[in-house]
Amino acid sequence: MSDNITKGKMIKPENLVYTKSRVMTDNVTSYCPGCGHGTAHRIIAEVIEEMDIQSEIIGVAPVGCSVLMYDFLDLDIQQAAHGRAPAVATAIKRLMPEKFVFTYQDDGDLAAIGTAETIHACNRGENIMIVFINNGIYGMTGGQMAPTTLEGMKSSTSPYGRDVATMGNPLKMTDIVATLPGTYYVTRQSVQKPANVRKTKKAIRKALEYQKLNRGTCFIEIVSNCPSGWKMTPVESNKWMEDTMFPYYPLGDFKVPEED
Amino acid sequence: MAKVKGSIVVDIEKCKGCELCVYACPTQVIAMSPDVNVKGYHYAEDVNPDACTGCTNCAVVCPDGVITVYRMKV
């Protein structure tokens, strides 16, 4: 074989195998370098493009790093008060049942101020998809301790590490919602490696397919990193996440429908 | 047997230099450039383009979607 195939010969539309989804806007995301949010946005955009539902889907973004999601995804997106995304999504879905509805929330939002809304929306079995980004910290406001912060993990409000005797145990939201009868599909995934990204993308696709069939709440947790909040490089943060977060937040499906 | 060759194009000005693609690449095609883009980040570039198989791993992990991948049989 010849190695004299030049780059110019290869770069043609018919050879294209991967490019950013057209559901993403051209804006540069506001996320820090290496943040899993960007990857999560990208795969949601890809699934929406593959299913061709760009005009039929409504996202709900509450407060957190993802608050500016409407700038990055070319979709109808509604802002919600802190933690209230599942309640707003419930209203949207009930008023427009023909639309796909999803919420995109971080751990400081979904697992702290929004715990009640999340649990009740899941318990009612609202026909929405909840995407939960868990990085164990309040990233947007400067790395404060979140309910999901691990025992002994340092944050700006737990500088000596989280002490469970005074601060409680890290909250496993996905385990909790999996026990509720209203949820249909509950899974925990991550986006730090190509294989994980592909799996997470499949999970999002499945959740939206189930929503089309009116099956109930689909809950997807994505364990992610926060290089700035954890004060590590992106590569180090992913390694730390694999070594420290995954033993406490193991990846896998928590509730899989019987039809699979 | 037909061999597959790939090629990547990096949107330099949008790259934030997180280096995830460098570690995701199974054939060590990508390295960070010594130069910086307009935001001051060292951006990803294909320093070993002949080894690229177009597997898309780098593009799949890129949080900013700056990598476009092309692939053809030669």
Side-chain angles (χ1 to χ4, degrees):
Chain A
M1 81 130 242
S2 64
D3 265 346
N4 49 19
I5 304 271
T6 60
K7 199 165 177 167
K9 274 188 191 164
M10 231 178 297
I11 297 172
K12 286 180 189 158
E14 64 266 28
N15 294 335
L16 182 72
V17 282
Y18 192 96
T19 188
K20 194 172 82 167
S21 167
R22 60 177 168 77
V23 177
M24 294 284 287
T25 62
D26 286 333
N27 296 331
V28 177
T29 60
S30 56
Y31 306 122
C32 307
C35 178
H37 270 301
T39 318
H41 280 16
R42 232 192 50 231
I43 53 178
I44 291 173
E46 283 169 16
V47 172
I48 290 169
E49 186 178 352
E50 282 168 19
M51 292 177 73
D52 197 19
I53 53 170
Q54 188 175 7
S55 58
E56 297 157 42
I57 190 161
I58 301 170
V60 184
V63 178
C65 288
S66 57
V67 71
L68 299 173
M69 190 168 80
Y70 53 77
D71 268 349
F72 315 132
L73 292 179
D74 192 8
L75 303 173
D76 290 332
I77 290 176
Q78 172 62 47
Q79 195 68 50
H82 203 352
R84 275 53 174 171
V88 174
T90 299
I92 294 173
K93 187 71 187 180
R94 288 188 180 192
L95 288 166
M96 289 179 271
E98 73 287 358
K99 298 274 187 193
F100 291 88
V101 179
F102 75 98
T103 73
Y104 185 96
Q105 305 174 260
D106 311 326
D107 49 350
D109 181 84
L110 181 143
I113 193 166
T115 318
E117 282 76 7
T118 306
I119 287 180
H120 286 294
C122 291
N123 196 38
R124 292 192 303 268
E126 296 298 340
N127 194 20
I128 55 174
M129 173 173 82
I130 297 177
V131 180
F132 167 39
I133 308 290
N134 176 6
N135 53 17
I137 209 162
Y138 279 82
M140 184 199 204
T141 47
Q144 288 84 1
M145 191 181 80
T148 47
T149 300
L150 297 175
E151 185 181 354
M153 184 173 161
K154 286 181 182 164
S155 68
S156 62
T157 48
S158 61
Y160 304 107
R162 182 179 187 152
D163 169 26
V164 296
T166 53
M167 303 166 194
N169 287 290
L171 195 57
K172 293 183 175 181
M173 282 304 285
T174 305
D175 300 46
I176 295 169
V177 301
T179 62
L180 302 173
T183 51
Y184 190 68
Y185 174 55
V186 180
T187 185
R188 183 186 284 131
Q189 302 293 341
S190 70
V191 288
Q192 88 287 17
K193 284 195 172 149
N196 298 97
V197 178
R198 292 187 172 106
K199 267 191 192 165
T200 310
K201 189 175 160 185
K202 270 187 200 149
I204 292 170
R205 170 94 198 213
K206 255 195 212 171
L208 289 175
E209 298 279 2
Y210 292 143
Q211 187 172 144
K212 201 192 259 177
L213 303 170
N214 291 321
R215 292 285 197 249
T217 312
C218 295
F219 190 97
I220 300 171
E221 172 176 350
I222 301 176
V223 183
S224 185
N225 59 350
C226 181
S228 301
W230 298 353
K231 312 211 181 329
M232 296 176 191
T233 67
V235 176
E236 278 169 12
S237 69
N238 279 341
K239 175 89 177 68
W240 188 88
M241 176 173 77
E242 286 174 3
D243 295 345
T244 320
M245 299 268 287
F246 289 179
Y248 194 81
Y249 299 112
L251 305 186
D253 291 337
F254 285 74
K255 199 171 189 179
V256 189
E258 280 173 14
E259 62 193 84
D260 278 2
Chain B
M1 199 184 95
K3 200 174 169 185
V4 175
K5 259 184 81 69
S7 185
I8 61 166
V9 178
V10 180
D11 187 344
I12 290 169
E13 294 309 330
K14 283 191 184 165
C15 178
K16 293 178 184 164
C18 69
E19 302 185 16
L20 296 186
C21 53
V22 176
Y23 293 88
C25 179
T27 52
Q28 285 82 44
V29 171
I30 309 173
M32 302 317 286
S33 167
D35 300 332
V36 292
N37 61 16
V38 80
K39 288 198 168 176
Y41 292 120
H42 293 284
Y43 52 86
E45 63 177 5
D46 51 344
V47 291
N48 186 14
D50 291 340
C52 182
T53 59
C55 71
T56 73
N57 273 5
C58 53
V60 167
V61 291
C62 178
D64 297 285
V66 304
I67 303 177
T68 305
V69 185
Y70 297 86
R71 182 167 59 205
M72 67 186 287
K73 282 182 182 161
V74 290

